[in-house]
Amino acid sequence: MSETAAIGWRDLYARRARADVGGEIARILALAGRTDLISFAGGFPDPAAIDQDALREVMGQLGTSGDVSALEYAPTGGLPGFRSYLAERLEAREGRGPASSELIVTSGGIEAMQLLTRVFVEAGDTVLVEAPAYLGTLMSFAAAEAELQTVPVDDDGLDVDALAGILADGTRPKIVYTNPDHQNPAGVTLSAERRGALTELARRHGFLLAEDVAYREFAHDGEPLPSLWSLAPDVVVQIGTFSKIFAPGTRLGWAVGPEEIVERLGWAKQLSDQCASALAQRLVEEYGRRGCLERQVERATLLYAERCAAMLERLEAELPDGVTWTRPTGGFFTWLSLPEGLEATDVAERAAEAGVAVVPGDPFFLDGRGGSHLRVCFSRASLPEIEEGVRILGRVLEEEPET
């Protein structure tokens, strides 16, 4: 038999596929799925909030009704019934309903971000993101070969004064991305004052605000602040997902924004998956129209609020001096800052060996500044797991790292 040389596939990859931008989410998901650890890793919703009886009833009716629309291709923009339900729900929650031409149904929030990237971003285009930022967003923009720059985040969310300074120095971004409500990974929320100032900067400097509202509905202490989209629908595309408020397995989300942009998103989606799952759309619509989704969000919010309070209480009791953390008012996460001399990756590795999973901060930054941070998720951990997991983490943090 003749021998053939091994093909160097990497040399044939498209340039955008050569960057190593895909592994961190897979590693986080794998870590979060381990059953031998107490997991504070993956940002997963708790399925305990789902009304299983109602869900079984809806699924049964979809299977026996004779309506085959759930098994067919859907229009690219979404099924009419689901689009109507979604628009009504947005109007009830945001105080503003999108026109039909301002709404598109997507296969999760990450696809909406990818469509937006495909429409706006060419290699070398400037995009501004939060620091730290949601890893999936960094991956989307990096894969498009954007010139990424960062805007710092503090306890009041994206630092709008810092953004104004960046713009004053001549930077002209096409997109500024923000996750303003209970941010992933830091858990902080953009203040009301900054929301108005941010939308005014977008209008004045002519860039698009990409508003990720994945955790918006889980406000533990009352109604959420007005969304950026409700304040400035002319310069904002809001990206939402049912992965957190219903179930991630549906892979269902949306984008709302200016008609001209949404039309282009629809064009890009035809080159992607053509349509979101019709079965998922029918399932969520029927579950939602019965009031089940709103009750699920209420149950989940109470559940996460209880776990958040327990997490913050145990952090205060168990962690050594010098460690600080954010105090979220909603969502899934708190963000730990470590004292000098502790490296987050080493802490995370030692914590995993001791039985608890956390995520080091490096992947949430562009430049390695996350080495002194840990993301800690409380959404899926039970109260006993929170107590035991934080006790373990505290013990690890007090240990002298090996040299």
Side-chain angles (χ1 to χ4, degrees):
M1 297 178 61
S2 61
E3 294 185 2
T4 58
I7 298 175
W9 294 117
R10 189 177 182 87
D11 295 335
L12 303 183
Y13 293 162
R15 187 173 58 193
R16 63 182 174 274
R18 294 176 188 172
D20 295 323
V21 296
E24 290 298 339
I25 284 182
R27 281 190 283 274
I28 290 170
L29 292 174
L31 192 62
R34 286 182 56 178
T35 58
D36 59 328
L37 299 178
I38 296 172
S39 181
F40 300 150
F44 296 166
D46 194 329
I50 296 174
D51 185 337
Q52 298 286 352
D53 291 336
L55 186 61
R56 281 191 290 270
E57 184 177 344
V58 169
M59 294 178 71
Q61 289 186 359
L62 287 176
T64 59
S65 67
D67 177 5
V68 297
S69 65
L71 305 178
E72 302 285 356
Y73 291 115
T76 298
L79 290 170
F82 179 69
R83 286 171 55 84
S84 175
Y85 163 72
L86 181 52
E88 292 166 9
R89 190 172 191 273
L90 285 169
E91 183 168 19
R93 286 193 163 265
E94 301 286 358
R96 182 185 186 277
S100 179
S101 58
E102 297 175 326
L103 168 67
I104 185 170
V105 178
T106 63
S107 299
I110 191 63
E111 193 210 16
M113 181 58 65
Q114 290 169 345
L115 297 179
L116 199 66
T117 302
R118 183 173 296 177
V119 167
F120 276 89
V121 181
E122 296 179 307
D125 284 343
T126 299
V127 173
L128 299 184
V129 297
E130 298 169 321
Y134 168 49
L135 177 57
T137 296
L138 297 180
M139 290 169 57
S140 293
F141 290 137
E145 302 179 86
E147 179 67 32
L148 286 173
Q149 298 182 31
T150 59
V151 184
V153 166
D154 61 23
D155 287 343
D156 289 321
L158 185 144
D159 187 336
V160 176
D161 287 340
L163 172 60
I166 293 169
L167 297 170
D169 287 341
T171 299
R172 292 294 175 262
K174 283 190 172 181
I175 296 174
V176 173
Y177 167 84
T178 182
N179 180 194
D181 300 288
H182 324 303
Q183 194 240 26
N184 178 8
V188 296
T189 293
L190 187 65
S191 68
E193 180 182 4
R194 288 186 179 182
R195 289 174 191 245
L198 180 56
T199 56
E200 284 307 307
L201 284 177
R203 289 186 173 122
R204 188 183 318 149
H205 292 276
F207 59 80
L208 180 70
L209 277 170
E211 177 191 31
D212 183 345
V213 294
Y215 305 94
R216 175 170 170 75
E217 298 193 28
F218 300 124
H220 300 166
D221 60 351
E223 291 298 316
L225 295 170
S227 69
L228 300 176
W229 174 69
S230 70
L231 293 173
D234 54 320
V235 292
V236 177
V237 168
Q238 183 187 96
I239 293 170
T241 178
F242 285 92
S243 293
K244 304 299 187 289
I245 59 176
F246 178 54
T250 56
R251 305 311 306 138
L252 202 58
W254 72 87
V256 290
E259 176 180 351
E260 179 183 355
I261 294 176
V262 170
E263 180 182 23
R264 288 290 172 173
L265 296 181
W267 170 82
K269 189 167 175 60
Q270 293 177 50
L271 302 176
S272 176
D273 63 354
Q274 298 183 356
C275 63
S277 165
L279 180 59
Q281 291 180 61
R282 291 289 293 120
L283 177 63
V284 174
E285 180 191 354
E286 293 302 322
Y287 186 80
R289 289 198 182 281
R290 298 174 185 216
C292 298
L293 182 59
E294 305 313 315
R295 291 191 290 272
Q296 178 175 330
V297 171
E298 291 174 4
R299 286 193 298 272
T301 301
L302 292 174
L303 189 67
Y304 303 148
E306 181 181 39
R307 291 173 180 177
C308 179
M311 175 65 74
L312 296 179
E313 178 184 350
R314 298 321 303 162
L315 292 174
E316 189 70 45
E318 300 287 354
L319 298 198
D321 292 343
V323 181
T324 61
W325 51 90
T326 59
R327 288 167 170 76
T329 58
F332 288 8
F333 309 104
T334 184
W335 181 245
L336 272 60
S337 298
L338 306 180
E340 187 175 353
L342 288 178
E343 205 281 320
T345 299
D346 174 68
V347 171
E349 290 174 351
R350 291 189 288 118
E353 292 173 359
V356 62
V358 293
V359 179
D362 280 341
F364 304 104
F365 290 89
L366 298 174
D367 54 7
R369 281 182 291 152
S372 61
H373 298 281
L374 296 169
R375 190 189 74 173
V376 177
C377 179
F378 48 78
S379 61
R380 279 291 289 271
S382 67
L383 297 183
E385 286 174 331
I386 289 172
E387 182 173 1
E388 176 64 9
V390 176
R391 185 188 64 78
I392 292 171
L393 182 59
R395 189 180 69 225
V396 168
L397 288 166
E398 288 178 336
E399 293 172 351
E400 289 290 332
E402 294 183 5
T403 58

